Amino acid sequence: MSFVTPEIAWAPLAPVIIVLGAAAIGILIESFVRTPATRRIVLLTLSVVSLVAAAAVAAVQWATLDGAGTIVLDGMMTVDRQALAWQIVILVFGALGALLFAARTRAGEEAFTPLGSVAPGTAEETLARRKGFQVTEVFPLALFAVGGMMLFTSVTDLIFLFVALEVFSLPLYILVALARRRRFLSHEGALKYFLLGAFSSALFLFGAALLYGATGDTNFVRVSEGIATVTGLDPLILSGAVLVMSGLLFKLGAVPFHSWTPDAYQGAPTPVTAFMAAATKAAATAALLRVSYEALHGLAWELSWLIWTVAILSMLLGTVVALVQTELKRMLAYSSIAHAGFILVALAGFPADALSALPFYLLSYGLATLGAFAVITQVRERGEDGTVLGEATRLGQWAGLGHRSPWLAGAMALFLLSFAGIPLTAGFVGKFVAFSAAMSEGAWPLVLVAVIASAAAAFFYVRLIVLMFLTDVPEGQEDAVEVDHSPLARAVVAITVIGVVLLGIVPGPVLSLFENAGVLLLGAAG
Amino acid sequence: MFPILTVMVALPALGAGVLWALPAAARTRAREVALAVTAIELVLAVVLFLQFDTAAAGSIQFSETYAWIPQIGASWALGVNGIGLLMIVLAAILVPLVILAGWRQDDAPGRQTHYLALILLGQAFMVGIFAARDVFLFYVLFEAMLIPLYFLIGSFGGAQRRYAAVKFLLYSLAGGLVMLVGVVALYFAGPGGEQAFLTDNLTGLELSTTTERLIFLAFFFAFAIKAPMVPVHTWLPTVAENARPGTTALLVAVLDKIGTFGMITLGVALFPDAARWAAPAIIVFAVISVIYGALLAIGQVNMLRLVAFTSVSHFGIMVLGIFAFTQTSIEGAALYMFNHGLSTGALFLVVGFLIERHGTADVTAYGGLQRVVPVFAGTFLVIGLSALALPGLSPFVSEIMVLVGAFGVAKVAVIVSAVGVVLAALYVLLTYQRVFTGPVREERASTPELSLRERAVLWPLVGLMLVLGFLPGIALDTLREPAADLVSIVSIEEAGE
């Protein structure tokens, strides 16, 4: 067997190369620029510039795309409008995330621990803090994650999909562990995320192996051809498909693969939570779509029970458990589980419309998520001596925020209304197109469950709005919470507010862009 | 053509924006600004009414259509027929009066500005909803409307206002989301394309029986919550008890009409077969609402709750009129929507004035007031009598039209509902007796008489009721044709079966 060097078309890979290249350069900067403050500025600039540049290149590719798309890397990856749409969405989330990573309080405190390797509460930690150390590695790590996610959306081979999954997951495990405050919680979250993530990777890999065994290939198209030749139920194929889907559903955070979500969301530094919640969900959805439509569409009927069950469980559990949360980040974590259910509703029966509906859904969801967590980073506890402490994430601490800081609370209310799917916000249009996609395949009972879950979910979103606007600050607590103005976090809030409102009132242009993206180069829907 | 309807939607919304943008120093003038905006809106409404061609009241007039989200078939399409016109006029009349009624609410200027801005925003949504000719647009406004109302109820009002606001929101949202399923399903059942949601394109669809029935039920559920029908009415008394009387007046007098309005323009007009199929069951619920609402009203000691329950009863009569499908009953129901707005709006406001004086809505805390404040008592009595549909006052005309019109179709229902009308006499007169007759209570002896401003709020409403009581033709002219069209839609379908 001789090894043939594959022809590589480099141009279609440019956005990914830019991001991963910037990540590599970021690591070098990490070694060569010694002053933490300079390093932070340089890395922030590098991240934002490279992400925006990659998005620009992707946009140019979109405009000049030849036909439906290009197959690159010997069929391991396709660059079609669907992939480019997701890449641009993820790049936007990445850039907003990077801004949030760099945000600091007025006292100059950032969200990350000064030195990840020292144990919490030790003398070394105090020393590192005093010396002004900063883990600026977070920027290249995030870039690696973004690069991996971009690959994840366009890969058309099970093995390469696994590689992409690990490329974006490993940096996230590290990022989750780097919180500056409540470090034990952060470590706990990261460990859970890592262990369960490894477990789900194993499931995915096992499923891929089974599919390979049954069909003789790992390429999506040939897997689907292999599935088509089999008549009746092949246990090998079915279990392989279910395991592969399970691995992806884990990344999506759907029940019963959700248990990492609340701990990771709560423990992670809030900027990481924001980035992870928005971008991981988008990447996981993109991969779910591609695997479903290109490799497993022959099993649409067999897999529909899985999608239905997981969707209903996610919506119900996410909603019901979120109702009783008293911690804000955990509440949003459970709300994200419910949203994973809504995403799966659109996927039920593999309707063609989902290919254009879900990018919009995830864009609107991600913007609101980034915005909401950006607000959370600014609401801080205040110590006895007036110093600004960590984030005030107990629900009760948000009482009366609307009187104290009407604009910030108003922005938060907008994001919550968007989560709840109230008209004139992006979330409503997202829900509308997602539910339309499900209805086009006749999944109306699922849509009915989804709207009932939405109505129940509105309760806990509204509860926070009640707290912020209709409740007075508790007696003696007037000084317990302080709103800390960080220009970067404010910028993120402003951008996401504009995005959520615009997408809610004039979604037309973006919808028609994504309509163009609703074509896969390969597979049944293409 | 001048886009008068779009302007009427935009003007109050802009007014709300201006109020919120007012610098702190100028906020003491917020009331004047709000009143001016609503006055211009009222002038526009009068122009609209005068320009309206009553000879073609059944067809949509002042029509405007712009592409909005063509990707999902939604358009910004406005236009009114006779029914929509009257509702917009009603809103335009009531909003300035509500603002005037709340003139002396002792609030910090900032809070007052916020309240007025929310009211104006509410008016923008109301006009949009009554003029919407696109199901998607209707739905969006129908749901978005909840946000200003939620804050109106939750931020301003009595002790349990937060609970009331959440209860209101969850009820409405549950209805709205079920309706959303119907809206989405309608998209797939309809013609599709860039104007898929225009009502013109959705009228006369050939749907399978099951689809039509399910979509109709999804819509009806939302409307039944809005126009509170037993058993989904329980949010209304809670809200009425806790919100400001002005807010409740708007809510019950205008907003809840969206429920009955939707039943007519979307429910029956788009799904006539399903509407006829469901009519017997709906009539049963309507009659239950009439009786149950009236009985509970008799049992209330809180006047705000009492008025809320009388409305539940009256909405039952409107629904009965709509689903009896006769020319007279539908005309009567549509007229009742307008008259009930005047009557209940006035009732909530006058009760509000009483509460402003003594801080309680409890009837047992009053007595003998007619000797202290005769003008107040007289005004209260006239407004109360309008609620029990006394001949000479406009609600009588509409109520009798519904009952007479429906009699040929649903005898039992009409006979039972007529009992509800008798009960109305009981709850109105009992209340009047407890509050205004009997010995003067010492602590109430210095109750101030109705002020000039308060008269300016209530008397125009009373005057309108008197005028329409003797000359109902003014309003009926605009309703005859829409009602006839609706009857023909329902009966053509019937003949086709």
Side-chain angles (χ1 to χ4, degrees):
Chain A
M1 189 175 162
S2 64
F3 180 76
V4 185
T5 326
E7 280 283 316
I8 297 179
W10 293 105
L13 293 172
V16 181
I17 292 175
I18 291 175
V19 173
L20 289 180
I25 295 172
I27 297 285
L28 290 178
I29 291 174
E30 197 57 47
S31 317
F32 288 108
V33 181
R34 302 303 300 263
T35 349
T38 327
R39 213 162 61 212
R40 174 174 162 275
I41 299 288
V42 172
L43 283 172
L44 172 65
T45 319
L46 177 75
S47 304
V48 173
V49 168
S50 65
L51 291 168
V52 171
V57 172
V60 171
Q61 287 185 356
W62 170 289
T64 58
L65 198 65
D66 208 15
T70 326
I71 300 178
V72 282
L73 296 177
D74 210 16
M76 299 271 263
M77 186 175 158
T78 51
V79 178
D80 49 17
R81 290 221 161 81
Q82 174 78 13
L84 289 171
W86 284 112
Q87 289 185 0
I88 294 172
V89 167
I90 288 170
L91 285 166
V92 169
F93 293 166
L96 291 172
L99 290 179
L100 215 48
F101 276 28
R104 333 157 72 157
T105 65
R106 246 172 311 185
E109 178 184 311
E110 43 204 48
F112 300 96
T113 173
L115 198 59
S117 53
V118 297
T122 52
E124 288 90 339
E125 191 191 30
T126 322
L127 188 67
R129 190 165 292 180
R130 210 173 50 235
K131 290 213 157 188
F133 285 1
Q134 293 182 20
V135 277
T136 43
E137 297 96 319
V138 293
F139 292 102
L141 283 174
L143 284 176
F144 275 120
V146 170
M149 287 173 189
M150 289 167 72
L151 285 175
F152 205 52
T153 63
S154 39
V155 161
T156 47
D157 185 287
L158 287 172
I159 295 301
F160 198 9
L161 190 66
F162 178 72
V163 174
L165 182 116
E166 293 302 320
V167 169
F168 87 73
S169 297
L170 289 172
L172 286 180
Y173 300 144
I174 304 170
L175 286 172
V176 169
L178 291 178
R180 183 180 196 95
R181 295 175 180 278
R182 297 188 222 168
R183 291 190 60 199
F184 282 121
L185 265 185
S186 176
H187 289 180
E188 183 194 334
L191 194 64
K192 275 189 182 163
Y193 190 21
F194 172 68
L195 287 178
L196 290 171
F199 188 63
S200 83
S201 294
L203 285 184
F204 177 87
L205 209 50
F206 188 37
L210 289 180
L211 283 178
Y212 176 70
T215 62
D217 212 316
T218 53
N219 184 286
F220 286 2
V221 180
R222 286 191 283 279
V223 167
S224 87
E225 284 164 6
I227 291 173
T229 57
V230 180
T231 45
L233 275 184
D234 184 342
L236 213 55
I237 287 180
L238 200 60
S239 41
V242 170
L243 287 173
V244 165
M245 293 292 264
S246 306
L248 297 176
L249 289 172
F250 174 87
K251 288 293 161 200
L252 190 68
V255 178
F257 314 104
H258 65 286
S259 49
W260 59 275
T261 324
D263 292 312
Y265 274 44
Q266 185 189 13
T270 306
V272 174
T273 316
F275 167 68
M276 178 170 83
T280 312
K281 249 196 183 48
T285 311
L288 255 180
L289 279 171
R290 207 168 269 282
V291 169
S292 308
Y293 286 66
E294 291 189 347
L296 303 177
H297 60 85
L299 299 173
W301 188 82
E302 286 85 350
L303 287 179
S304 65
W305 63 268
L306 176 75
I307 307 252
W308 277 60
T309 319
V310 174
I312 292 177
L313 285 178
S314 304
M315 291 187 288
L316 294 186
L317 186 128
T319 307
V320 171
V321 182
L323 288 175
V324 296
Q325 295 305 312
T326 53
E327 217 270 359
L328 197 48
K329 284 165 86 177
R330 285 187 89 82
M331 186 188 96
L332 288 179
Y334 281 104
S335 129
S336 92
I337 295 171
H339 276 274
F342 296 140
I343 291 167
L344 288 173
V345 167
L347 209 61
F350 297 170
D353 288 354
L355 289 170
S356 48
L358 284 179
F360 190 92
Y361 189 97
L362 269 298
L363 179 62
S364 55
Y365 172 75
L367 285 178
T369 305
L370 275 158
F373 283 110
V375 173
I376 293 178
T377 60
Q378 299 177 57
V379 181
R380 299 281 181 149
E381 284 172 345
R382 181 151 51 180
E384 303 271 306
D385 52 350
T387 51
V388 176
L389 301 177
E391 286 143 8
T393 54
R394 270 186 297 109
L395 275 183
Q397 292 174 311
W398 284 55
L401 192 74
H403 309 301
R404 196 178 319 207
S405 184
W407 288 104
L408 199 66
M412 188 68 180
L414 177 75
F415 299 135
L416 293 169
L417 292 175
S418 183
F419 285 141
I422 302 289
L424 302 180
T425 62
F428 168 69
V429 184
K431 272 207 172 109
F432 185 84
V433 290
F435 292 173
S436 292
M439 290 289 253
S440 72
E441 283 295 320
W444 66 267
L446 201 54
V447 175
L448 201 63
V449 177
V451 298
I452 293 168
S454 303
F459 183 77
F460 59 81
Y461 296 128
V462 165
R463 193 173 52 164
L464 185 55
I465 298 180
V466 171
L467 267 177
M468 289 190 300
F469 286 98
L470 309 183
T471 313
D472 293 324
V473 186
E475 289 277 320
Q477 300 281 304
E478 287 84 0
D479 292 330
V481 171
E482 172 159 336
V483 175
D484 193 87
H485 307 273
S486 151
L488 285 172
R490 293 244 143 165
V492 173
V493 173
I495 294 169
T496 47
V497 163
I498 293 169
V500 168
V501 170
L502 276 187
L503 287 179
I505 295 177
V506 277
V510 178
L511 276 177
S512 61
L513 279 181
F514 285 146
E515 249 168 43
N516 290 329
V519 186
L520 291 171
L521 184 54
L522 310 165
Chain B
M1 210 183 89
F2 182 65
I4 185 167
L5 288 172
T6 301
V7 171
M8 287 185 72
V9 175
L11 177 72
L14 280 178
V18 168
L19 284 183
W20 271 314
L22 278 184
R27 292 199 159 171
T28 46
R29 290 267 159 263
R31 292 176 302 194
E32 284 83 354
V33 175
L35 197 62
V37 171
T38 53
I40 302 173
E41 183 85 352
L42 181 59
V43 170
L44 286 174
V46 170
V47 171
L48 195 73
F49 187 77
L50 294 176
Q51 295 279 309
F52 189 81
D53 179 10
T54 39
S59 42
I60 298 288
Q61 303 183 23
F62 309 105
S63 188
E64 306 167 32
T65 313
Y66 310 100
W68 176 32
I69 319 176
Q71 289 79 7
I72 51 177
S75 325
W76 176 266
L78 300 180
V80 285
N81 67 5
I83 303 177
L85 173 78
L86 277 193
M87 298 321 296
I88 290 177
V89 170
L90 175 66
I93 294 173
L94 269 175
V95 173
L97 295 181
V98 164
I99 291 177
L100 202 56
W103 204 257
R104 296 241 177 278
Q105 267 152 3
D106 45 340
D107 261 342
R111 257 171 73 82
Q112 186 149 42
T113 311
H114 190 50
Y115 175 75
L116 293 168
L118 286 172
I119 295 255
L120 287 186
L121 199 58
Q123 186 176 23
F125 282 119
M126 284 186 255
V127 174
I129 292 170
F130 288 124
R133 265 173 51 235
D134 179 287
V135 176
F136 187 87
L137 177 64
F138 181 94
Y139 178 77
V140 163
L141 297 174
F142 183 80
E143 287 282 81
M145 173 85 232
L146 301 180
I147 302 304
L149 265 178
Y150 169 76
F151 284 107
L152 271 176
I153 299 167
S155 308
F156 309 95
Q160 284 203 296
R161 57 177 194 268
R162 272 169 294 232
Y163 167 71
V166 172
K167 191 169 177 183
F168 164 77
L169 189 75
L170 289 183
Y171 264 80
S172 307
L173 215 52
L177 285 166
V178 171
M179 183 176 159
L180 178 62
V181 182
V183 172
V184 176
L186 192 58
Y187 178 75
F188 289 103
E194 298 202 338
Q195 298 195 326
F197 279 117
L198 273 195
T199 43
D200 309 352
N201 297 342
L202 293 171
T203 319
L205 286 181
E206 296 290 330
L207 300 174
S208 79
T209 313
T210 326
T211 316
E212 186 178 341
R213 286 177 183 176
L214 285 175
I215 300 180
F216 173 80
L217 286 181
F219 277 67
F220 186 80
F221 181 61
F223 296 145
I225 289 178
K226 237 325 94 99
M229 283 178 76
V230 178
V232 284
H233 65 287
T234 56
W235 62 269
L236 182 63
T238 315
V239 169
E241 187 180 353
N242 292 297
R244 279 188 180 170
T247 308
T248 321
L250 271 191
L251 182 74
V252 180
V254 189
L255 267 163
D256 286 353
K257 301 301 187 308
I258 293 167
T260 44
F261 179 79
M263 286 178 200
I264 297 175
T265 55
L266 298 183
V268 180
L270 299 187
F271 316 106
D273 281 329
R276 217 176 34 249
W277 160 76
I282 293 174
I283 287 181
V284 169
F285 277 108
V287 173
I288 294 176
S289 299
V290 173
I291 300 298
Y292 186 73
L295 285 177
L296 285 187
I298 293 172
Q300 300 304 317
V301 286
N302 183 309
M303 277 183 276
L304 293 167
R305 284 181 73 87
L306 182 141
V307 182
F309 278 114
T310 69
S311 291
V312 172
S313 176
H314 292 153
F315 273 107
I317 291 186
M318 289 173 224
V319 175
L320 169 67
I322 295 169
F323 285 89
F325 301 134
T326 68
Q327 168 76 31
T328 319
S329 73
I330 292 177
E331 229 176 283
L335 182 62
Y336 204 0
M337 283 161 60
F338 185 79
N339 288 334
H340 178 257
L342 299 178
S343 151
T344 306
L347 205 49
F348 271 116
L349 291 176
V350 78
V351 170
F353 291 151
L354 201 57
I355 296 172
E356 236 174 82
R357 284 167 168 69
H358 294 297
T360 171
D362 191 344
V363 276
T364 56
Y366 294 94
L369 281 183
Q370 68 181 5
R371 281 181 223 165
V372 188
V373 283
V375 180
F376 197 124
T379 312
F380 188 100
L381 185 61
V382 175
I383 295 172
L385 291 176
S386 77
L388 67 76
L390 188 81
L393 289 162
S394 60
F396 165 74
V397 185
S398 31
E399 204 163 298
I400 206 78
M401 280 177 80
V402 169
L403 294 179
V404 169
F407 190 70
V409 193
K411 286 197 179 55
V412 181
V414 170
I415 293 167
V416 179
S417 301
V419 177
V421 179
V422 177
L423 292 176
L426 209 56
Y427 56 70
V428 170
L429 295 176
L430 267 180
T431 308
Y432 183 82
Q433 188 187 9
R434 291 191 200 160
V435 175
F436 291 98
T437 62
V440 183
R441 292 167 69 134
E442 211 171 292
E443 69 273 24
R444 303 282 179 243
S446 57
T447 306
E449 179 58 286
L450 217 51
S451 73
L452 211 58
R453 173 180 59 85
E454 289 165 337
R455 289 175 202 201
V457 171
L458 296 175
W459 288 4
L461 292 173
V462 173
L464 264 174
M465 284 193 279
L466 278 169
V467 171
L468 285 175
F470 287 100
L471 302 168
I474 304 168
L476 277 177
D477 283 344
T478 68
L479 297 175
R480 198 164 297 128
E481 290 214 16
D485 288 352
L486 206 63
V487 171
S488 74
I489 289 177
V490 176
S491 51
I492 286 172
E493 296 281 333
E494 196 163 27
E497 266 179 18

